Amino acid sequence: MTSNSDELVMNPEVSRRGFLKGCTMAAAALGLSDAMIPKLVEAAANPQKPPVVWLHFQECTGCTESLLRASHPDIGRLILDIISLDYHETVMAAAGHQAEEQLQKTIKEYEGKFICVVEGGIPTKDGGVYCKISGRTAMDILADVAPKAAAVIAIGSCAAFGGIQAAEPNPTGAVGVRDLVSGTPVINVPGCPPNPVAFLGTVLHYLTFKRLPETDYLGRPLFAYGRKIHDHCERRAHFDEGRFAEEFGDTGHKAGYCLYKVGCKGPETYNNCPTARFNDAGVWPVSVGHGCIGCSEPAFWDMMSPFYERLPGVPIPGGDGIVASAESTGKKILGVAGAAIGIHAAVGIGKRLVKGKSDDEK
Amino acid sequence: MNYERQYVWSILFRLFHWALALSIVVLAITGFYIHDPWTNSVLEGGGRFPMATMRYIHFVAGFVFTAALIVRLYLFLFGNRHERILSAAPVTGRNIKNLFTTLAYYSYATDRHEHRLGHNAVAGTVYLITYFFVIGQMLTGFYMLYPESATWQSIGGPLFGIQQQARFIHYLIMWYMFIFVAIHLYLLIWNDIKSPEGMISSIFTGNKFKPKHDRA
């Protein structure tokens, strides 16, 4: 660790070793053979760096942070090394008018050639007034920049699907990039935050093959989001053998058993967390004893919560916001059905007692 | 009163009925286990696979459920005259009239009702709604069984949303099935008491009994 931070201070350039390591990681994530690594390296080392415009809307900058503040800085620096980041509000030196001029210059000069990265959801309600940068709404900026880009990469669940802003009741009418941009290819790299390797793999795939990687029906690259977390989880054997943590801190939890009963959403989530892992330290939520919360799926704040139960709660209409679990709702409906049957039977018996047997029974 | 034996439900129809009914029982029990595994092996090295076994039984029963549905859809088109879709669907004038008279009969508003060998229109309508949910249950099930198949993703994604939404719908439809079964059994017994045509035994033997003078 010390040597790395020293290295970072002494030499802001990425080392050759780190460069090759990053390209190899991306090749592994993409599922490419090692014969392709030189091609990736060549594409990444091309002095003609593609200009990138990075737009920040309704977001927490967590995606940028996770990219730049990895324990080893190689991936973040590699990305900054292979692209020419012309506009990025968090890391650029320019500010105010200077920064906005830079944005205009890039999208004019490199029209149809630059990559647009979007971080954060886009509010659409009331003309989009809930997110403004330099006097322009997020909708305006996106409508200005996206059609001129060669491709749009939506990084994080907010840019991909609206994220937490789009959760019920979605007060600002937030949506993801794909809901607003058509004509320009859009790829979603969702997650809260997404693994930097998924982003690096997407960029390197684009640089090497001059096209975006194959995606699923939600626009997510298949190399990272093609498989379910549950099917590659290191705790899967405990699931099949029926060994569960019943609650956090119990014997089962301490023994590393399956987190299914404490609400793990691994069975519903597509991501490569169990294989790619995070922070170069080989960890991911399930490995440290916390269930998956399904952060790379659309509407996860609504559908995946409560995070520690298997299914979302059902609000009872007219119940003043009281939320009961689906199971108790089901039991109530069943109770009503049972009562209806009981009443029906009672009326039938009562009527028979009063009127006697009907004609066809005689 | 003299009764006459009449053959109503074909063998294939009765097989469909029991395949669907038994698969629903198995699916509900194993489905509940998958939803909330009530056992906990705890000890390692026991060689028990409760979840894997329950899932296996659930999937096999799911295929029986699907096969039963396919047989029913076939019988809707090519079954005998009591089994075809138009015999009880509320689309013909006769069936729409029967729908209201049967509802009145079921709510004790009248004692008069049209004697039918096959389904009455209330049953026909409820069964159509039920098959709609059965199809939804089957589609959500296959969407979850083959989560990485591009085909099932392209079907399940637009119809139901993400896996978690499909799971949720799958769970809610199970409760619909429970309600349906409760009312289904109640009305069968009720009908059997009200008119002794042998409605319950007909699903075992295929025969119903009709008052002789009723014959048209």
Side-chain angles (χ1 to χ4, degrees):
Chain A
M1 284 300 226
T2 326
S3 67
N4 260 300
S5 37
D6 284 352
E7 199 185 308
L8 181 63
V9 174
M10 301 295 283
N11 177 15
E13 293 293 308
V14 64
S15 67
R16 179 182 148 73
R17 182 180 162 76
F19 183 79
L20 292 175
K21 206 170 128 189
C23 287
T24 309
M25 275 174 79
L30 284 164
L32 297 174
S33 106
D34 55 359
M36 284 303 294
I37 296 172
K39 291 220 157 106
L40 247 62
V41 170
E42 193 187 319
N46 190 333
Q48 288 228 302
K49 299 176 183 178
V52 170
V53 166
W54 194 301
L55 301 174
H56 294 256
F57 298 135
Q58 285 181 317
E59 45 88 329
C60 67
T61 321
C63 299
T64 292
E65 288 289 336
S66 75
L67 203 69
L68 298 179
R69 316 240 183 266
S71 60
H72 295 244
D74 283 345
I75 293 177
R77 275 163 67 200
L78 178 62
I79 290 170
L80 295 182
D81 208 54
I82 59 178
I83 60 174
S84 157
L85 195 55
D86 287 8
Y87 181 89
H88 185 298
E89 282 146 20
T90 312
V91 298
M92 67 186 167
H97 290 297
Q98 261 188 328
E100 295 309 308
E101 264 168 40
Q102 180 62 37
L103 174 63
Q104 289 306 323
K105 204 178 130 212
T106 305
I107 63 173
K108 202 173 282 173
E109 211 168 299
Y110 297 100
E111 191 168 338
K113 292 190 190 94
F114 71 94
I115 298 173
C116 172
V117 180
V118 180
E119 189 178 340
I122 303 112
T124 57
K125 215 173 182 174
D126 302 325
V129 294
Y130 301 105
C131 179
K132 279 184 160 184
I133 296 146
S134 72
R136 288 201 296 166
T137 63
M139 277 173 86
D140 275 350
I141 298 170
L142 188 68
D144 182 24
V145 176
K148 297 185 179 116
V152 181
I153 301 176
I155 188 168
S157 291
C158 299
F161 310 120
I164 192 166
Q165 297 78 219
E168 274 289 313
N170 194 354
T172 63
V175 296
V177 175
R178 283 220 307 180
D179 296 318
L180 296 174
V181 173
S182 54
T184 313
V186 179
I187 195 159
N188 287 332
V189 185
C192 195
N195 197 321
V197 171
F199 180 70
L200 174 69
T202 307
V203 172
L204 270 180
H205 188 285
Y206 183 72
L207 295 182
T208 310
F209 303 106
K210 306 289 177 242
R211 59 180 166 82
L212 291 167
E214 260 192 279
T215 61
D216 67 2
Y217 74 104
L218 292 168
R220 302 178 292 194
L222 283 174
F223 74 83
Y225 303 91
R227 318 294 304 271
K228 266 195 342 183
I229 282 180
H230 189 54
D231 296 339
H232 300 268
C233 179
E234 63 237 29
R235 301 192 185 209
R236 177 58 188 263
H238 294 304
F239 173 80
D240 284 337
E241 295 214 38
R243 289 192 292 264
F244 302 98
E246 296 284 343
E247 56 185 273
F248 288 106
D250 72 358
T251 326
H253 190 232
K254 283 175 187 159
Y257 291 164
C258 177
L259 301 166
Y260 187 78
K261 289 181 89 169
V262 287
C264 178
K265 301 301 188 302
E268 290 85 31
T269 306
Y270 296 84
N271 213 324
N272 60 357
C273 308
T275 46
R277 298 173 177 247
F278 280 83
N279 302 341
D280 301 347
V283 294
W284 66 296
V286 170
S287 78
V288 294
H290 191 284
C292 167
I293 59 169
C295 74
S296 56
E297 295 292 320
F300 89 95
W301 291 101
D302 294 325
M303 285 312 296
M304 300 299 187
S305 58
F307 290 143
Y308 304 110
E309 278 166 40
R310 289 243 37 85
L311 286 172
V314 177
I316 298 170
D320 292 326
I322 295 166
V323 175
S325 74
E327 198 158 337
S328 83
T329 309
K331 279 177 188 158
K332 280 171 194 130
I333 296 169
L334 211 57
V336 170
I341 289 171
I343 292 165
H344 191 269
V347 172
I349 293 164
K351 205 175 158 193
R352 187 172 165 143
L353 287 175
V354 174
K355 277 181 72 178
K357 285 189 178 185
S358 64
D359 283 346
D360 35 305
E361 278 170 287
K362 276 173 192 162
Chain B
M1 195 186 283
N2 281 324
Y3 284 88
E4 185 178 45
R5 188 204 296 255
Q6 295 236 338
Y7 188 64
V8 182
W9 307 126
S10 65
I11 291 171
L12 188 58
F13 184 89
R14 283 175 272 153
L15 281 174
F16 137 75
H17 174 270
W18 289 112
L20 189 72
L22 294 177
S23 70
I24 287 174
V25 171
V26 173
L27 285 165
I29 295 168
T30 53
F32 251 123
Y33 185 84
I34 295 165
H35 166 69
D36 183 15
W38 60 76
T39 68
N40 203 328
S41 313
V42 183
L43 284 177
E44 287 175 47
R48 296 165 64 208
F49 285 89
M51 180 59 89
T53 311
M54 286 289 188
R55 291 177 82 234
Y56 174 74
I57 297 169
H58 192 79
F59 300 154
V60 172
F63 279 104
V64 174
F65 182 83
T66 306
L69 173 68
I70 291 169
V71 168
R72 186 63 183 107
L73 295 179
Y74 167 82
L75 289 173
F76 264 146
L77 300 175
F78 306 109
N80 70 32
R81 67 189 173 92
H82 305 297
E83 294 158 2
R84 294 199 180 191
I85 189 161
L86 286 180
S87 82
V91 286
T92 63
R94 188 174 154 259
N95 284 346
I96 292 169
K97 190 164 164 272
N98 181 266
L99 179 68
F100 290 106
T101 54
T102 309
L103 280 174
Y105 175 57
Y106 279 2
S107 53
Y108 300 109
T110 170
D111 272 339
R112 283 194 11 239
H113 70 291
E114 185 191 350
H115 194 95
R116 282 193 169 197
L117 271 179
H119 297 310
N120 65 50
V122 171
T125 310
V126 172
Y127 290 155
L128 281 183
I129 296 167
T130 304
Y131 291 126
F132 174 78
F133 285 118
V134 164
I135 291 171
Q137 195 73 332
M138 183 202 75
L139 290 177
T140 48
F142 277 110
Y143 181 38
M144 289 188 285
L145 181 58
Y146 301 114
E148 289 169 10
S149 136
T151 314
W152 280 108
Q153 281 192 4
S154 66
I155 296 168
L159 279 179
F160 309 114
I162 59 172
Q163 291 278 317
Q164 176 77 348
Q165 281 160 316
R167 181 182 273 264
F168 190 41
I169 294 166
H170 202 72
Y171 183 75
L172 293 180
I173 294 178
M174 181 199 68
W175 284 101
Y176 171 83
M177 293 296 177
F178 285 179
I179 295 163
F180 168 80
V181 168
I183 296 174
H184 180 67
L185 293 180
Y186 170 73
L187 281 179
L188 273 170
I189 296 165
W190 185 85
N191 265 295
D192 225 47
I193 293 167
K194 291 282 279 187
S195 54
E197 60 176 16
M199 194 182 263
I200 292 174
S201 65
S202 73
I203 201 62
F204 295 96
T205 63
N207 295 315
K208 279 194 181 180
F209 295 88
K210 204 176 170 186
K212 243 179 178 168
H213 62 82
D214 241 6
R215 199 148 185 202

